[in-house]
Amino acid sequence: MKKILLAVFASLMMVGAVSSVQAASDAEHPKDLSWGFEGFTGTYDRGALQRGFQIYKEVCSACHGVKYIAFRNLMEIGFSEEEAKAIAAEYIVAGDLDEYGDPTERAGKLFDYIPSPFPNDIAARAGNNGALPPDLSLMIKARPNGADYVYSLLTGYEDGHEVAAGMSYNSYFAGSEIAMGQPLFDDQVLYADGTEASLEQMSQDVVVFLAWAAEPTLEARHKAGFKVISFLLVLTILLYFSNKKVWAGIKAKKKED
Amino acid sequence: MAGSNYQPKSKLGQWIEYRLPIFSLIDGLFGSYPTPKNLNYWWSFGSLAGIALVVQIITGIVLAMHYTPDTSLAFASTEHIMRNVNYGWLMRYVHANGASMFFIIVYVHIFRGLYYGSYKSPREILWMLGVVILLLMMATAFMGYVLPWGQMSFWGATVITNLFGAVPVVGDSIVAWLWGGFSVDNATLHRFFSLHYLLPFVIVGVVIMHIWALHQHGSNNPLGIDVKGPQDTVPFTPYYTAKDLYGFAVFFLVFAYFVFYNPNFLGHPDNYIPANPLVTPAHIVPEWYYLPFYAILRAITFDIGIPGTDIVFITAKFAGVILMFASILILLVLPWLDTSKVRSAKFRPIYKQLYWLLVIDVFVLGYVGAKPPEGILPTVGLIATAYYFIHFLVIMPILGKKEKPLPLPESIANPVVKSAE
Ligand code: HEM
């Protein structure tokens, strides 16, 4: 028992060391929110997902792509096929070559991926004072405590600090100077479902959308996990008792002599 | 393999057995194979390692069907697996977390061997084959981690391959040869993929020899004394099949927790950023299972030469590389460094304490490896590294001679202590 405790203690120490490395930087620790997709039964709130997509589309998509998301994927967050088709049709994408071998354009279809705002990184930098707005598809998984971090970033802008030209002050960003101006303000969008568009609400919603974009299989994973773990628990109990039974004779004999 | 006289019951079975004695082979391996009857659960970790290897190979082969080892596509093809391939996320999370599980198991397996003296005569070759497996595993996991081509993949590969540049004279040529070019690039990714696919099968080969050697003299046991006769053993089946299957179930429970509920806990967020040779991450940290070795690598911060002159025999970097490899290779000669005739730490009161000190030392090294080398940490790392080597090179040879072991029990079946001789 002592050994096991020691091993557990040591492993915790190790885990602590590793996670503190990941957090180590001069930036302020993100606010700690509780998200509906956390925990064993976590799911994405459908309302928040759709509102979050609206924020992405109306605000963030001016500068950021979500290149791993196709229009068909929008049906997974509660849009009907018709709605997803209509959203796709708002975009112009590259079509097949025409009969002369020249490039063509057409309206987006379900199987197309959501086009990024800039054709390449150079163009993206040129449009943003030399800074590169990263693709947001995996942002939540690409930062420690990603959901809390992006929420804190979006709600963490402060005036009254000295910063270089074109930069903004945000203590949650490493170095506290970020090349992205505050993107969200109260009442910036009009939510279709009547939710009040406060800065906090919008930030939460877009984070839920981005969390889904980063890990669209989370709900399937949680469901499968429940089945697998339930099965394994039963199996473990069965195997525990069959092992006991198999060894019963040996153990008894040991006691005799 | 331990000869078995097993004869199949069916006519067909006998026909096959006469031509290819596969049934008696299997029986000798997992059937009637006589096993000490006092093995505890630490002995389950060998077969657990076997199952972990099988899991890695199966998921790895499926992943390779959808993965593209080209710098322009590797990251995207990994995301393709995560998003579009049916149960691709499951395959990838099982494979990624499976590597960690495999290392936990093998580390426990090794420390089990250290505690119970399983490396001692007549199991030296068995132990050395184990060390070879460990080295192969480390190489395999390192190259596997490069494949998704995230930031940590790229920078981890760059840091580790650059180590070879510390070798005097030929260092730079070795590095260019490893890379297949002038930096970690497309050629590097391609060869790492090729080798990452190959090495697990080499491991399978060494595992077969490992088990072959095991069966020559049979398993050691918690008392560390030899099996005296049939009264000390039980047939592997059903006793240890039942016990190992229970162990498998518990293991898969832990494994499933990580895969389904915390799949990125053991990974690093930076690896979800596509590799970018122009942006160096703030902290380049290896996977957790390399951390103690990483600390040893960074332990030496000074060149070794003639003090007061500019003459350097060994640069700090090269010294670190030598120590890192030595820290594993030293295990190869452990059977001869340990001069004690008594196997199990149960009967070695001083070794038992020092064993736990070594365990703590390795955790301290792991902690130092995880942190940026600031403040007192480099000093701690140096001391812990020194102690690691002192344990094997100084303590083990002397202790075996000086320590007075406790009296050994008469036999496994009759674990009473022999009357004082
Ligand atoms: C792919 C990795 C490995 C596999 C699949 C594997 C498999 C096994 C199996 C099935 C056994 C018999 C069960 C047991 O006694 O636990 C065993 C025994 C043993 N292994 Fe391994 N092993 C691996 C790695 C290693 C390594 C890295 C070492 C040491 C450096 C090692 C050292 C030993 C020793 C000394 C024994 C004999 C244990 C005894 O009877 O006390 N093995 N191994």
Side-chain angles (χ1 to χ4, degrees):
Chain A
M1 197 58 210
K2 220 170 72 196
K3 293 175 205 168
I4 296 177
L5 282 179
L6 194 75
V8 168
F9 167 74
S11 333
L12 287 178
M13 216 172 79
M14 191 94 145
V15 166
V18 176
S19 46
S20 65
V21 150
Q22 299 184 345
S25 80
D26 55 341
E28 196 172 331
H29 198 78
K31 304 168 192 170
D32 189 11
L33 276 73
S34 79
W35 300 96
F37 48 83
E38 290 172 339
F40 286 92
T41 52
T43 53
Y44 297 115
D45 180 272
R46 288 296 177 279
L49 276 174
Q50 296 187 19
R51 289 194 300 275
F53 174 66
Q54 186 182 344
I55 300 290
Y56 166 74
K57 189 160 162 280
E58 291 180 15
V59 184
C60 322
S61 72
C63 304
H64 296 279
V66 278
K67 64 178 176 190
Y68 292 116
I69 302 298
F71 292 110
R72 65 182 154 82
N73 296 130
L74 295 177
M75 297 189 297
E76 296 161 27
I77 62 172
F79 288 104
S80 69
E81 188 172 333
E82 294 316 308
E83 287 168 326
K85 272 185 180 155
I87 294 169
E90 292 171 28
Y91 290 79
I92 302 292
V93 300
D96 293 334
L97 298 182
D98 67 14
E99 57 203 290
Y100 305 107
D102 293 324
T104 62
E105 288 182 332
R106 62 168 170 77
K109 298 206 163 122
L110 280 184
F111 55 75
D112 289 314
Y113 282 79
I114 299 184
S116 298
F118 299 102
N120 52 58
D121 286 0
I122 300 172
R125 282 186 194 278
N128 285 283
N129 280 326
L132 181 70
D135 189 89
L136 295 180
S137 312
L138 283 160
M139 182 54 68
I140 302 292
K141 275 164 47 175
R143 297 287 180 277
N145 307 315
D148 288 345
Y149 169 71
V150 174
Y151 176 84
S152 306
L153 193 72
L154 293 174
T155 55
Y157 281 84
E158 283 171 38
D159 292 331
H161 292 269
E162 242 187 77
V163 288
M167 304 294 275
S168 306
Y169 185 88
N170 193 317
S171 57
Y172 295 99
F173 189 68
S176 298
E177 279 194 18
I178 184 165
M180 167 169 73
Q182 177 167 354
L184 290 176
F185 297 91
D186 283 336
D187 299 318
Q188 189 160 343
V189 302
L190 195 63
Y191 274 137
D193 64 2
T195 305
E196 196 193 314
S198 64
L199 170 61
E200 287 76 19
Q201 181 70 43
M202 290 186 294
S203 304
Q204 268 192 39
D205 291 343
V206 78
V207 165
V208 174
F209 170 71
L210 291 178
W212 168 79
E215 187 80 356
T217 52
L218 173 134
E219 293 179 355
R221 173 155 63 73
H222 284 175
K223 274 201 203 118
F226 180 76
K227 287 184 207 155
V228 169
I229 295 215
S230 312
F231 168 78
L232 283 173
L233 272 176
V234 175
L235 186 72
T236 306
I237 294 167
L238 284 177
L239 289 171
Y240 173 79
F241 284 109
S242 46
N243 180 43
K244 267 229 134 87
K245 185 137 197 250
V246 165
W247 281 87
I250 301 285
K251 292 273 150 75
K253 233 174 88 200
K254 232 184 177 175
K255 276 200 196 102
E256 276 162 34
D257 45 47
Chain B
M1 304 252 164
S4 152
N5 300 322
Y6 181 82
Q7 268 300 320
K9 298 203 174 51
S10 75
K11 272 255 154 25
L12 177 65
Q14 285 167 6
W15 188 88
I16 296 173
E17 174 73 21
Y18 183 64
R19 286 152 183 87
L20 177 73
I22 187 159
F23 297 106
S24 55
L25 178 80
I26 293 173
D27 179 68
L29 278 176
F30 315 108
S32 60
Y33 170 59
T35 315
K37 61 182 181 187
N38 59 337
L39 300 188
N40 54 32
Y41 279 108
W42 299 117
W43 262 262
S44 304
F45 284 81
S47 52
L48 277 178
I51 201 81
L53 179 60
V54 171
V55 168
Q56 289 309 94
I57 288 178
I58 292 174
T59 51
I61 289 174
V62 176
L63 289 172
M65 293 175 187
H66 302 277
Y67 168 80
T68 312
D70 186 284
T71 51
S72 61
L73 293 166
F75 190 90
S77 70
T78 311
E79 276 309 307
H80 165 70
I81 291 169
M82 293 296 286
R83 291 158 191 270
N84 301 328
V85 174
N86 287 330
Y87 290 102
W89 58 268
L90 183 60
M91 290 298 139
R92 169 144 188 267
Y93 279 155
V94 168
H95 197 76
N97 287 284
S100 283
M101 297 297 129
F102 198 0
F103 273 99
I104 293 177
I105 289 168
V106 166
Y107 285 151
V108 172
H109 188 62
I110 293 172
F111 274 90
R112 184 282 316 262
L114 288 175
Y115 189 82
Y116 294 109
S118 299
Y119 49 85
K120 293 186 199 188
S121 173
R123 296 187 182 82
E124 298 94 327
I125 292 186
L126 167 61
W127 170 260
M128 291 159 86
L129 289 167
V131 179
V132 172
I133 293 170
L134 176 64
L135 283 167
L136 287 168
M137 274 176 69
M138 298 184 96
T140 308
F142 165 66
M143 289 189 272
Y145 193 60
V146 176
L147 301 184
W149 208 243
Q151 273 291 67
M152 276 300 154
S153 301
F154 178 85
W155 288 99
T158 301
V159 169
I160 301 300
T161 48
N162 261 316
L163 293 178
F164 293 90
V167 178
V169 189
V170 289
D172 290 339
S173 316
I174 296 180
V175 176
W177 176 72
L178 287 175
W179 285 342
F182 300 103
S183 65
V184 173
D185 206 340
N186 211 19
T188 326
L189 180 59
H190 272 83
R191 63 189 52 193
F192 278 17
F193 179 52
S194 172
L195 293 172
H196 184 70
Y197 208 135
L198 171 69
L199 286 189
F201 295 94
V202 177
I203 295 179
V204 170
V206 184
V207 168
I208 290 174
M209 290 200 284
H210 186 75
I211 294 173
W212 190 7
L214 171 74
H215 281 243
Q216 180 71 359
H217 291 282
S219 296
N220 182 29
N221 65 80
L223 296 175
I225 55 176
D226 288 335
V227 165
K228 302 270 156 54
Q231 71 282 4
D232 288 348
T233 64
V234 290
F236 193 84
T237 302
Y239 294 98
Y240 285 105
T241 18
K243 193 165 177 174
D244 283 354
L245 281 175
Y246 168 56
F248 284 6
V250 174
F251 163 64
F252 278 113
L253 265 176
V254 176
F255 195 173
Y257 163 74
F258 281 105
V259 167
F260 292 103
Y261 296 107
N262 221 342
N264 294 306
F265 177 74
L266 296 163
H268 197 293
D270 277 20
N271 230 24
Y272 282 109
I273 305 171
N276 184 348
L278 303 176
V279 179
T280 318
H283 300 292
I284 303 176
V285 261
E287 293 281 87
W288 70 264
Y289 38 81
Y290 298 125
L291 290 176
F293 303 103
Y294 196 52
I296 294 177
L297 173 72
R298 298 191 300 182
I300 306 292
T301 47
F302 43 86
D303 293 338
I304 298 164
I306 300 176
T309 68
D310 284 343
I311 301 169
V312 171
F313 298 131
I314 303 174
T315 60
K317 191 175 164 195
F318 189 43
V321 174
I322 295 174
L323 286 186
M324 183 179 71
F325 282 103
S327 67
I328 301 174
L329 296 178
I330 202 168
L331 295 173
L332 286 174
V333 290
L334 176 61
W336 296 275
L337 290 173
D338 183 348
T339 48
S340 169
K341 291 277 170 300
V342 175
R343 292 196 191 102
S344 175
K346 265 201 165 110
F347 306 104
R348 298 186 60 190
I350 304 177
Y351 173 67
K352 194 182 195 165
Q353 317 266 333
L354 293 171
Y355 168 86
W356 287 108
L357 204 56
L358 179 72
V359 173
I360 293 170
D361 187 58
V362 170
F363 274 102
V364 169
L365 283 170
Y367 177 84
V368 173
K371 292 286 207 178
E374 292 157 5
I376 57 154
L377 287 181
T379 317
V380 175
L382 183 62
I383 295 171
T385 300
Y387 184 75
Y388 181 91
F389 285 99
I390 289 171
H391 174 92
F392 289 109
L393 290 174
V394 181
I395 295 180
M396 293 306 274
I398 297 177
L399 187 67
K401 298 231 164 72
K402 301 272 181 228
E403 185 183 36
K404 193 175 172 330
L406 304 178
L408 293 179
E410 198 175 288
S411 73
I412 295 172
N414 189 19
V416 268
V417 172
K418 273 182 283 190
S419 50
E421 300 163 56

